[in-house]
Amino acid sequence: MPAQTRPNADGGEPGSPVSPGSSGSVRSPLAVTRRRLLATAVGLGATSAGALVAARLLSSSSGPTSSGDLPLSRPSAPVGGVTVGPSMPAGAVAGLPGNLLTIYGAPGTFGNLDDRSAIEIAGVPGWGFGPGQAAFLSAVAADGTVFLATTPFTDDQAKLTGTGMEIEIFEPAAERFTRLVIPSTKGRTSLPRADPNYHGVGGGDISDVIVVPGPDGTERVVFVSLMPFFGWNTSIDGELPSIGQLRRDSPGGRWAYDRTASRTAAQLAGTAPPHVAALAFPVLAPLEPRSPRGPSSIARLPRSGHLVIAQYLGTGVGGTDNGALLVVDLAGRVRAHWQYPQVRPLGLELVVNPREVVADPTSEPDDERFVLISDVRGLDFRAQPFPVQEFSYSASRGTISPRSTAVRAVQDGSRMESAVFGADGTLYVARTKADGLRAETLAVYPKIDGERGLVTRAPATGNWPVDTWGIANRPDYLVAGTDRGGLVRSITLDPATGAVLLAGLDGLVQVVRPAGRGTRMTFRTDRPIDVGLSRLRGPATRYVGVRRGAVDARRRSLWLPVNQLLLDGLPWPYPPFKLDQWLLRVNLDVLLGDG
């Protein structure tokens, strides 16, 4: 990683990075976390008059007007405004129909949900995450098995709270839970940091997980880790994978870790030309392994089957703080790498950390499209509105190319939060208000005449990192009634009906039903449903929330991880311990009124 971290025994900020062997602290990309970006106010807090003007242009709704200012996008071609009104009264929340929700977890851990008959309680013997591990993102296999990535109780991969790296496996048909601990290259499953001030904390996170077809016709589970190293002796304890795979140990057998198909950063670097290896997997400090630069998200490209990965972090001290994009094949060979350039809209330098990649299922060969949502901050470490950007990957040329500049839906401080593609290439982007906590209306960019408005209205031409980065590209549609709850933690799509499924920070689940295509789309927004997170909450120092779900269309299920975090209730670092975690099943037939 870019620098070692230390507890705040000296009165500094917890986790402030310190260069090995030095007495002073050095600011690292890890010093800015996703939680911090969500918590800070929008705007750059500029000190000079010129910077203040630039900050207003980047964050306000007034926008530039003169020819020398940041250019505005043209009005969107089809509708360019809010669609038909919501199908429920403002602020309404639907009651819970029977058979809609089932929550799984360890017996006796459901709080006040036990007395609520509308939510079915399913205590699973043997259910239990490891110390310091919380439920994170999910994926589902064709046989219905659900896989759960894990994150620290701090909700910050730079501040680990566990002892190892693990992925959780739930087989609903058998109600069987498996805690699968990922071993290091030396076979170690417990990897505490050597410094005793960290109280045994170590291991790594799993920042994303997907299910993909394998070369032998069976499915593979692929995961990435933003933080696969946390200060142990790698010559003794080995390394954890940056990209890992699971497969069944026999036909119809159990899911198991496939060490031969998993790769450390050093192993990935060995498949790339030296200049690419040095940039994509740098050595950041003596006696530390190569850094994978914080893999935060992974998506499978539909034509080549290659995997595009967002690298959240920069290259360390003396390099860039901007992240990058990486493409590998299923065998773990590097196919392409693209470094995010320096961004200076209006001369104001920003830092771009790629956070989420989503692939377009309608992509053409050698033009496989995907979109990137990035976290953005100023040099003062305050958050800027997060943009979305479209890219193309050519497998034959081994290149990643930006097709659009990075855009915002509206210049009002709102943030592009998470995205999903429809089967016809329509892009749905969940947005967050400027406070980073409440949902903003859903943005929709349909595919019209083979291209989305992201590209036709804001192409990546000329010196786009300076001239057009961060411009407003108004969506073709803003879906009314989708701004009711907390920021959207999960946006998924039911392939059987095309319905978009939103789940918010506060446990509100909402359905958006699109109809039509291109310039003739309409939307119906169903009344939100409260899944009852408040009844799971324990002490006020803990936080309970949902994370990215996975749809099992065959079994008509939406699986939503429900995690419990500690956040700021206890000064970090602290000795690893356990907190209850859950998994929520939403019956799609009931939710969508199909059964």
Side-chain angles (χ1 to χ4, degrees), residues 296-372:
S296 59
S297 178
I298 182 170
R300 180 180 183 271
L301 297 163
R303 294 291 190 164
S304 63
H306 296 166
L307 307 173
V308 58
I309 297 170
Q311 291 180 295
Y312 191 87
L313 301 177
T315 57
V317 176
T320 177
D321 284 345
N322 287 349
L325 293 169
L326 173 71
V327 174
V328 301
D329 60 24
L330 202 56
R333 296 184 293 252
V334 173
R335 295 287 188 162
H337 188 259
W338 184 83
Q339 173 60 51
Y340 211 101
Q342 184 57 60
V343 171
R344 293 187 181 88
L346 299 175
L348 197 64
E349 187 169 324
L350 301 177
V351 175
V352 180
N353 299 119
R355 172 170 49 83
E356 179 181 297
V357 285
V358 186
D360 177 4
T362 65
S363 295
E364 298 294 332
D366 256 4
D367 184 18
E368 296 186 274
R369 299 296 183 89
F370 63 94
V371 296
L372 168 69

Side-chain angles (χ1 to χ4, degrees), residues 69 158 219 226 274 285 332 452 478 511 524 535 552 562:
D69 289 329
E219 287 186 314
L226 191 146
R452 278 169 292 272
L478 291 169
V511 175
R524 193 182 92 195
R535 293 173 175 257
D552 184 345
V562 179

Side-chain angles (χ1 to χ4, degrees), residues 178-242:
T178 302
R179 176 188 167 220
L180 182 60
V181 181
I182 307 301
S184 73
T185 52
K186 298 282 189 179
R188 303 293 178 91
T189 55
S190 180
L191 294 158
R193 192 182 182 97
D195 187 341
N197 290 321
Y198 284 84
H199 308 293
V201 168
D205 73 307
I206 293 181
S207 56
D208 201 1
V209 58
I210 61 173
V211 179
V212 301
D216 55 359
T218 63
E219 287 186 314
R220 293 293 184 101
V221 176
V222 184
F223 63 87
V224 291
S225 174
L226 191 146
M227 178 71 78
F229 173 72
F230 203 64
W232 58 83
N233 188 331
T234 56
S235 65
I236 297 174
D237 296 326
E239 297 182 46
L240 289 170
S242 299

Side-chain angles (χ1 to χ4, degrees), residues 38-131:
L38 286 173
T40 53
V42 175
L44 294 175
T47 56
S48 69
L52 181 58
V53 171
R56 287 171 177 164
L57 293 178
L58 288 169
S59 302
S60 71
S61 58
S62 59
T65 56
S66 68
S67 59
D69 289 329
L70 194 67
L72 296 171
S73 65
R74 298 190 304 272
S76 54
V79 177
V82 175
T83 62
V84 295
S87 54
M88 72 292 197
V93 176
L96 289 179
N99 302 318
L100 174 65
L101 301 175
T102 304
I103 189 164
Y104 296 86
T109 66
F110 300 99
N112 293 327
L113 283 178
D114 291 323
D115 61 2
R116 188 172 182 177
S117 59
I119 300 179
E120 182 179 348
I121 304 300
V124 178
W127 184 287
F129 287 51

Side-chain angles (χ1 to χ4, degrees), residues 325 338 340-341 343 352 354 356-358 369-374 386-392 401-408 416 421 427 429 454-455 458-460 464-465 468-470:
L325 293 169
W338 184 83
Y340 211 101
V343 171
V352 180
E356 179 181 297
V357 285
V358 186
R369 299 296 183 89
F370 63 94
V371 296
L372 168 69
I373 294 177
S374 299
F386 306 150
V388 65
Q389 187 170 9
E390 186 163 336
F391 287 81
S392 173
S401 305
R403 293 304 303 272
S404 81
T405 189
V407 303
R408 297 155 182 165
M416 302 297 213
F421 277 100
L427 175 66
V429 185
L454 287 179
V455 175
W464 61 266
T468 60
W469 193 98

